[in-house]
Amino acid sequence: MKKIFYSIFIISSLIYSQKISAQSANNQKWWKEAVVYQIYPRSFKDSDGDGVGDLKGIISKLDYIKSLGIDVVWINPVYSSPNDDNGYDISDYRNIMKEFGTMEDFDNLLKGLHQRGIKLVMDVVVNHSSDEHEWFKQARSSRLSPYRNYYHWWDADRGKPNYRYSLFDVNHDAWKYDSTTNAYYLHFFSRKQPDLNWENPRLRKEIYDMMKFWAEKGVDGYRLDAFQFAAKDTTFPKFSDGFEKNFSKYYAVQNGLHDYLKEMNKEVFSKYDVMTVAEGAGNSFQDAHDMVDAERNELNMAYAFDGVDIAKPEGYSLLHFKEVFTKWDSVFAEKGWLSIFLANHDQARLVTRFGNDSNEYRDVSSKMLTTFLLTMRGTPYYYNGDELGMTNIRFNKIEDYRDMSTINEYKYQQSIGADMKKYLEEIKFKSRDNGRTPFQWDASINAGFSEGKSTWLAVNPNYTIINAAAEERDKNSCLNYFRKAIQLRKNNKVFVYGKYTLIDKSNDKVYAYTRELNGKKILIALNFTKENASFKTNYDVSKAKILLDNYSNASKNKILKPYEAVVYELK
Ligand code: NOJ
């Protein structure tokens, strides 16, 4: 009886493992296997000494980028912009921001990346434009302008529109009164970022044509900025009191959004071999699925904020972290695809928020987080500077900040009589500027970022110790660890497609999981604390082969050193 049971078990596991491999064979795609490296152009490398990073600067670092082993670069907006929101307010979608260079520089950058086998993903900011875009200038000039309906207007003759919350406005008011035509316009972000009206087919066609313009140049993908907010109920009904505390529920993935995505797919994506990713994954797993289910022909993937939002100044619960990532993985296990990230230009630094940036633990905890990002299922998005373990700068005064959202929020908090000392402390942890300080290339002036007198945002004074040149020389640096972890992922498809299983679920110090594909089984164990911590598993790790570890002598006794990360191949 036992024997029969055993053979049934063997047969069904064989069928199951074939199912996994058959599924992954059908569904293999370059963008699933890619590691995406995000470049914040303003802070990457300045070539002309004006203190602002630029395209020629990036070009001068192409060999460095190639040396990382990444496959795709996602570059933050480089289009013409008055820079109210560092390029997320576009005044001309078919031109390059003067501070960043020229279209020729852009073409050279794209060519240089392609020559090195690296693809380029553009940031497409089309929930809103700049108020200095020609469309908006025309629209605001007259109620009869043919561009009026490119935006959302509420004529003041009808009274005041129902309140809408704005993320970046000094008063958090998304309606701005404009006296020229006695009307309000809508801006979910700053006043200089009026929302585009996606209900207008003419606007939609302009956007698709613009996207094709970049695809014809050869770009390899699009990241859709804030696009989940594009569809709106344009009757602008009253929302329940306090809705702004969960505005996403009212703003994200409203009726019409999937139709726009399907249309965009038909008009643009289906015509090119491009990867597509949306910022934001809606309000539910169903929303996320609907955006990325291959059969629906919308997008390849979205990125959800649930993971990145977990870090708080007072710390975070690893159990919660595990639960979030495990849940998202399980929802996409059979269908659809995920992105994995813990940092980007909208967040403070990875190691400060999720690890430990003290002198003692910065190096190991940063490597531990890198291990996590590169051993999970889903396409990893890795933010420039995190490969060096760059940390928050922690400015003391508001005058040091450049980020409009941090400054406007400061003014708002002041206007409501908030405790400003407390606010200043909070932004040391969370202001976006912490993640935007210039890239630390070497120990020379301005960290080798710029030869100018000053830089647009201060350089972190720890650049004399934390910089790429020093890390190049050290074979055990964060930088070289990042390269190793990428090679490991590239050489083992189990990290891309393998089944994920959480182990030792209730362990609040160690995150351990296995990845499995076609008989290959990997166990990853990550200590998220500064104490030794043990984990439980029935697998015999003492006999396992160590594929990667962030100490030179990896633990094989199920007790991990502070922030230790070990990747075991199980026998
Ligand atoms: C999300 C972008 O990542 C962020 O930097 C920007 O401020 C807003 N969208 C508005 O475009």
Side-chain angles (χ1 to χ4, degrees):
M1 185 63 184
K2 241 183 174 177
K3 254 189 172 168
I4 300 177
F5 214 77
Y6 190 59
S7 358
I8 294 176
F9 176 73
I10 299 272
I11 295 170
S12 54
S13 350
L14 271 175
I15 295 174
Y16 185 63
S17 67
Q18 270 171 8
K19 195 176 137 208
I20 295 178
S21 50
Q23 252 185 26
S24 46
N26 287 338
N27 292 329
Q28 291 189 6
K29 295 276 183 290
W30 65 262
W31 43 265
K32 293 185 180 174
E33 295 173 20
V35 176
V36 181
Y37 181 67
Q38 183 193 346
I39 293 186
Y40 196 66
R42 207 170 181 77
S43 294
F44 197 63
K45 174 73 187 161
D46 170 22
S47 73
D48 57 8
D50 65 356
V52 175
D54 48 45
L55 297 179
K56 280 204 174 91
I58 304 175
I59 294 171
S60 71
K61 294 295 182 185
L62 281 173
D63 289 339
Y64 170 82
I65 297 166
K66 171 72 184 164
S67 80
L68 299 174
I70 55 95
D71 310 276
V72 173
V73 164
W74 150 31
I75 193 170
N76 291 96
V78 293
Y79 320 91
S80 304
S81 163
N83 278 313
D84 184 51
D85 187 17
N86 292 356
Y88 282 93
D89 46 321
I90 298 171
S91 52
D92 183 351
Y93 289 93
R94 292 173 190 238
N95 250 314
I96 299 295
M97 189 192 303
K98 282 208 182 61
E99 285 176 313
F100 286 176
T102 62
M103 192 58 91
E104 195 187 342
D105 296 335
F106 178 85
D107 293 338
N108 288 336
L109 172 63
L110 185 60
K111 195 163 141 213
L113 285 167
H114 283 172
Q115 277 166 347
R116 288 166 180 79
I118 299 171
K119 296 183 190 281
L120 182 66
V121 166
M122 299 291 277
D123 219 316
V124 176
V125 190
V126 288
N127 170 67
H128 46 271
S129 74
S130 161
D131 66 339
E132 296 182 36
H133 193 291
E134 197 47 41
W135 298 336
F136 190 75
K137 289 189 196 160
Q138 296 282 340
R140 116 190 294 175
S141 68
S142 150
R143 286 191 185 184
L144 300 175
S145 160
Y147 290 92
R148 188 76 171 175
N149 279 336
Y150 275 39
Y151 297 88
H152 297 283
W153 293 94
W154 184 275
D155 294 341
D157 335 4
R158 299 167 69 193
K160 267 193 113 174
N162 284 318
Y163 176 59
R164 287 294 179 270
Y165 171 80
S166 158
L167 280 127
F168 294 168
D169 187 72
V170 259
N171 301 325
H172 287 178
D173 185 352
W175 289 110
K176 171 86 177 84
Y177 177 73
D178 197 54
S179 57
T180 322
T181 55
N182 187 33
Y184 299 85
Y185 66 84
L186 185 76
H187 60 94
F188 281 173
F189 294 90
S190 88
R191 293 174 185 179
K192 289 188 66 65
Q193 294 169 295
D195 281 48
L196 289 161
N197 178 7
W198 274 77
E199 285 179 9
N200 181 345
R202 261 187 66 207
L203 176 268
R204 298 205 300 274
K205 183 168 181 321
E206 296 246 28
I207 301 287
Y208 305 146
D209 287 349
M210 174 277 285
M211 292 173 84
K212 283 191 259 186
F213 166 83
W214 291 99
E216 290 298 328
K217 277 189 171 287
V219 308
D220 308 285
Y222 308 97
R223 175 244 187 211
L224 296 185
D225 179 78
F227 196 71
Q228 55 172 353
F229 298 151
K232 293 158 177 98
D233 177 347
T234 48
T235 62
F236 295 109
K238 189 168 163 32
F239 288 158
S240 331
D241 285 348
F243 83 91
E244 63 276 18
K245 294 196 182 84
N246 186 8
F247 68 90
S248 199
K249 185 175 145 212
Y250 294 83
Y251 288 6
V253 192
Q254 302 299 297
N255 284 345
L257 192 93
H258 293 294
D259 298 330
Y260 303 149
L261 286 173
K262 286 200 172 79
E263 188 178 62
M264 192 184 280
N265 187 304
K266 183 166 161 264
E267 297 298 323
V268 188
F269 310 152
S270 66
K271 302 190 164 131
Y272 306 91
D273 182 18
V274 284
M275 68 169 256
T276 52
V277 56
E279 182 198 29
N283 288 312
S284 62
F285 291 126
Q286 190 58 47
D287 277 350
H289 247 296
D290 289 349
M291 282 196 246
V292 304
D293 179 348
E295 284 158 26
R296 293 172 55 100
N297 293 325
E298 297 185 20
L299 297 167
N300 296 146
M301 56 187 136
Y303 57 87
F305 299 119
D306 297 18
V308 79
D309 282 348
I310 291 173
K312 297 278 177 283
E314 61 279 11
Y316 63 95
S317 140
L318 180 62
L319 291 179
H320 180 41
F321 185 95
K322 285 161 55 157
E323 189 189 305
V324 166
F325 280 95
T326 303
K327 187 73 202 168
W328 277 95
D329 184 88
S330 72
V331 170
F332 289 89
E334 301 291 328
K335 224 180 178 194
W337 195 249
L338 274 182
S339 342
I340 296 288
F341 78 111
L342 284 178
N344 60 31
H345 66 292
D346 289 334
Q347 309 293 337
R349 280 288 169 190
L350 173 68
V351 69
T352 304
R353 299 180 74 231
F354 285 98
N356 182 330
D357 67 5
S358 67
N359 288 343
E360 200 176 353
Y361 298 119
R362 182 189 63 85
D363 180 90
V364 271
S365 68
S366 156
K367 290 169 180 165
M368 184 275 289
L369 294 164
T370 294
T371 318
F372 168 73
L373 290 163
L374 292 171
T375 56
M376 287 291 285
R377 176 155 50 186
T379 302
Y381 286 70
Y382 200 91
Y383 183 56
N384 62 188
D386 286 340
E387 74 272 30
L388 307 179
M390 278 176 63
T391 66
N392 276 17
I393 187 162
R394 299 186 171 90
F395 290 125
N396 286 316
K397 332 186 276 302
I398 193 68
E399 292 74 25
D400 292 332
Y401 287 92
R402 297 289 172 270
D403 174 25
M404 161 273 284
S405 78
T406 303
I407 298 168
N408 282 355
E409 186 62 24
Y410 180 89
K411 291 182 187 155
Y412 174 74
Q413 294 292 330
Q414 233 175 3
S415 75
I416 60 167
D419 177 347
M420 298 318 289
K421 257 196 174 154
K422 189 165 158 240
Y423 179 74
L424 280 175
E425 275 315 299
E426 264 170 36
I427 56 180
K428 281 183 187 173
F429 179 79
K430 67 174 192 201
S431 167
R432 313 195 287 186
D433 276 343
N434 286 294
R436 296 176 175 185
T437 59
F439 194 95
Q440 296 167 204
W441 290 104
D442 57 42
S444 71
I445 188 125
N446 295 331
F449 161 72
S450 168
E451 287 175 4
K453 280 207 194 73
S454 61
T455 54
W456 76 274
L457 180 68
V459 173
N460 193 318
N462 65 17
Y463 75 90
T464 50
I465 298 161
I466 304 171
N467 64 67
E471 297 203 22
E472 287 288 359
R473 293 189 293 268
D474 173 5
K475 73 174 193 341
N476 293 319
S477 62
C478 292
L479 172 60
N480 283 319
Y481 188 86
F482 176 59
R483 289 174 171 142
K484 252 192 266 168
I486 289 193
Q487 284 320 310
L488 184 68
R489 186 176 180 96
K490 305 231 76 92
N491 295 334
N492 295 281
K493 290 219 172 142
V494 59
F495 292 110
V496 178
Y497 298 110
K499 175 171 174 256
Y500 159 98
T501 310
L502 177 66
I503 53 180
D504 199 5
K505 182 174 169 208
S506 58
N507 192 326
D508 60 358
K509 299 190 170 67
V510 174
Y511 190 172
Y513 46 96
T514 55
R515 304 293 313 278
E516 247 175 289
L517 185 73
N518 299 337
K520 196 167 202 160
K521 195 162 196 161
I522 310 283
L523 190 153
I524 297 108
L526 311 168
N527 180 357
F528 271 69
T529 73
K530 60 178 178 192
E531 275 103 42
N532 285 346
S534 60
F535 64 99
K536 286 198 218 104
T537 170
N538 292 331
Y539 296 116
D540 184 358
V541 295
S542 71
K543 296 213 183 74
K545 182 174 164 198
I546 308 279
L547 299 181
L548 187 70
D549 64 281
N550 61 350
Y551 280 79
S552 50
N553 50 342
S555 312
K556 278 198 158 191
N557 55 359
K558 301 185 201 168
I559 301 177
L560 300 174
K561 296 182 268 296
Y563 298 107
E564 184 165 7
V566 192
V567 180
Y568 307 93
E569 180 170 352
L570 298 169
K571 297 282 166 204

